[in-house]
């Protein structure tokens, strides 16, 4: 283990977090809301510690896969521990609640323990939302973009943090890939902000919701999210950008290169569009046929909630917990599926569902042709056995953790629907669920133990299990787990 280089990189991450806190401190000073100490203290801590760490002498410049995994795991925990301090000091929350809230922010989950967010200082609301934007693309992807000297070691970080079964470069180097991803991210963010402003949303609220949508997070500056927001324009704009944010960012890189043939061959994109349009259509019909005021309103709310849940953003423009059972069933499935690999969305990822369907089709063919050699092909390429094994292992791990965790959570006394959706929504990084954690409720009633437990599930979901689990395995098994 290259502990000095690991510590040095963690130092850079702390300094980057300090820089991201600065706008909230500035807003606090402008508003004179008295919350500036909540930012000065953690900024001072992270800056001093960061400067000490980055000045460590490191002779060995390369990173092993395990080094990369340790950096990823440690950095997400570290930025959450420091990032919770502003809420603890300025919002007068318990540290456990603050930690839960900020882990939810960085992992772009959007689960909350806060009621009456409008009464909080704008600087605190702003910091809470910035964590979505940072966590959406990943603070480590940002770090790798600024540290081209990492070389091969940079790929270990990039691969460990990138969401999806196949992490690859979209440029000749990982540093260039990181920079291109952030350029796309910033362009989409600017486009959404402009659209929201044109639609009449105030500047502050436009920024908050831009951070939440592009990071597929879900924290809003409104206590009821968008349930009472007037008009249709903002609802449809957010629905469109939630869909775009949960689409594989490689698609946008291919568009800039005019590689339209590769885009048309992308199986994940095709299935993603089919799932989204299919779910919107079915829920619209279900709502309208069961008494919704108008077809347009049914379509609007359906489009918003489908893109919100499937992208794992977690915003709400209606209390879907009182919708018909069929519509809620579709939303629950979307909650588990999530968005695309290589996006800011959470969940299992559509590409895994696509490959799983191909595997089922192959096994059905092999039932009648047992000696046939039938490869699994996606995007016109044959998948290796290693990738297929990794997908099967991931799906198995997801459901095992979900089932065990549901059993543990029900010990708190909640009903089965609340227990399962609490696990599913934190593990898939969605935010709100059903029952006692529906869109009009939150996680505040859970004890500190379960808030910490859910924080762990959010981190496991964001880092896709194996990044963390590989740290706790014996060395002879670790390489196999890392490949998954």
């Amino acid at each position: 283990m290259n502990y000095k280089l690991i510590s040095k990189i963690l130092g850079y991450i702390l300094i980057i977090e300090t820089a991201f806190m600065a706008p909230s401190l500035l807003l606090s000073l402008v508003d004179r809301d008295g919350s500036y100490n909540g930012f000065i203290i953690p900024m001072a801590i992270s800056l001093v510690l960061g400067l000490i760490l980055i000045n460590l002498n490191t002779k060995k410049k390369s990173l092993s896969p395990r080094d990369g995994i340790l950096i990823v795991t440690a950095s997400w925990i570290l930025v959450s521990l420091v990032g919770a301090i502003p809420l603890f000091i300025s919002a007068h929350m318990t540290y456990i609640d603050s930690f839960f809230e900020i882990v939810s922010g960085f992992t772009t989950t959007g689960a909350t323990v806060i009621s009456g967010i409008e009464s909080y200082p704008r600087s605190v609301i702003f910091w809470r939302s910035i964590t979505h934007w940072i966590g959406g693309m990943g603070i480590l992807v940002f770090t790798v973009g600024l540290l081209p000297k990492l070389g091969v070691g940079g790929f270990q970080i990039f691969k460990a943090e990138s969401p999806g079964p196949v992490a690859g470069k979209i440029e000749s180097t990982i540093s260039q890939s990181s920079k291109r991803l952030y350029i796309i991210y910033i362009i989409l963010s600017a486009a959404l902000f402009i659209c929201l402003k044109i639609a009449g949303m105030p500047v502050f609220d436009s920024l908050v919701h831009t951070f939440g949508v592009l990071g597929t997070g879900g924290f809003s500056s409104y206590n009821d999210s968008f349930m009472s927001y007037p008009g249709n324009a903002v609802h449809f704009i957010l629905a469109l950008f939630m869909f775009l944010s949960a689409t594989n960012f490689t698609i946008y890189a291919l568009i800039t290169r005019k590689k339209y043939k590769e885009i048309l061959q992308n199986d994940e994109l095709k299935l993603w569009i089919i799932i989204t349009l299919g779910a919107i259509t079915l829920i619209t019909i279900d709502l309208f046929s069961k008494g919704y005021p108008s077809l347009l309103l049914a379509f609007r709310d359906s489009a918003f909630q489908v893109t919100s849940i499937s992208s794992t953003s977690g915003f709400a423009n209606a209390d879907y917990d009182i919708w018909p059972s069929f519509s809620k069933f579709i939303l629950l499935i979307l909650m588990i599926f999530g968005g695309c690999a290589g996006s800011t969305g959470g969940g299992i990822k559509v590409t895994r569902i696509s490959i799983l369907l191909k595997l089922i089709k192959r096994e059905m063919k092999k039932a009648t042709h047992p000696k046939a050699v039938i490869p699994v092909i996606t995007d016109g390429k044959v998948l290796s056995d290693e990738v297929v094994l990794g997908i099967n292992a991931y799906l198995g791990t997801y459901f095992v953790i979900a089932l065990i965790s549901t059993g543990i959570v029900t010990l708190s006394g909640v009903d089965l629907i609340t227990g399962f959706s609490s696990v599913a929504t934190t593990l898939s990084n969605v935010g709100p669920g059903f029952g006692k954690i529906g869109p009009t409720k939150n996680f505040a009633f859970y004890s500190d133990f379960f808030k910490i437990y859910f924080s762990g599930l959010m981190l496991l979901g964001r880092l896709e299990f194996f990044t963390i689990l590989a740290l706790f395995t014996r060395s002879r098994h670790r390489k196999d787990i890392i490949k998954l």
Side-chain angles (χ1 to χ4, degrees), residues 397-413:
T397 304
Y398 180 97
F399 287 109
V400 167
I401 291 176
L403 290 173
I404 293 174
S405 295
T406 299
I408 293 172
V409 172
T410 54
L411 293 173
S412 68

Side-chain angles (χ1 to χ4, degrees), residues 420-446:
F420 178 74
S421 66
S422 295
V423 170
T425 198
T426 50
L427 203 54
S428 291
N429 304 129
V430 178
F434 298 96
K436 292 182 179 179
I437 56 151
T440 62
K441 305 176 182 71
N442 60 42
F443 285 74
F445 69 89
Y446 278 111

Side-chain angles (χ1 to χ4, degrees), residues 189-209:
S189 299
L192 175 56
F193 174 78
I194 292 169
C195 288
L196 291 176
K197 273 298 300 160
I198 293 173
M201 185 177 283
V203 171
F204 179 77
D205 293 336
S206 295
L207 282 172
V208 166
H209 294 104

Side-chain angles (χ1 to χ4, degrees), residues 247-406:
T247 300
N248 195 323
F249 275 44
T250 303
I251 298 296
Y252 305 129
L254 293 174
I255 290 173
T256 62
R257 295 175 174 181
K258 299 181 179 180
K259 294 187 177 182
Y260 303 118
K261 185 178 179 181
E262 290 186 34
I263 295 172
L264 293 174
Q265 289 179 336
N266 191 285
D267 293 333
E268 182 186 37
L269 180 62
K270 294 174 189 176
L271 184 58
W272 173 230
I273 294 172
I274 290 170
I275 288 174
T276 303
L277 293 179
I280 291 172
T281 301
L282 291 172
I283 291 179
T284 299
I285 294 171
D286 189 41
L287 292 178
F288 185 63
S289 66
K290 293 177 180 174
Y292 231 65
S294 70
L295 183 61
L296 176 61
L297 188 61
F299 173 70
R300 187 199 76 174
D301 290 356
S302 173
F304 189 97
Q305 288 308 149
V306 164
T307 53
S308 177
I309 296 299
S310 62
S311 69
T312 69
S313 295
F315 290 108
N317 73 339
D319 185 2
Y320 58 77
D321 202 31
I322 61 174
W323 281 4
S325 296
F326 179 69
S327 294
K328 290 196 290 185
F329 170 74
I330 292 175
L331 292 179
L332 180 61
I333 297 300
L334 295 176
M335 183 184 294
I336 295 171
F337 282 7
C340 298
S343 73
T344 59
I348 287 175
K349 303 293 186 302
V350 174
T351 189
R352 290 191 176 99
I353 303 302
S354 175
I355 294 170
L356 178 63
L357 293 175
K358 293 176 187 293
L359 285 170
I360 293 172
K361 183 179 179 181
R362 183 181 72 171
E363 293 308 310
M364 290 173 66
K365 287 183 178 179
K366 290 184 73 173
T368 54
H369 301 85
K371 294 184 179 181
V373 178
I374 307 171
V376 178
I377 301 174
T378 187
D379 302 341
K381 301 175 182 178
V382 177
L383 289 182
S384 66
D385 291 338
E386 182 180 80
V387 172
V388 173
L389 174 63
I391 289 169
N392 288 334
Y394 177 90
L395 293 173
T397 304
Y398 180 97
F399 287 109
V400 167
I401 291 176
L403 290 173
I404 293 174
S405 295
T406 299

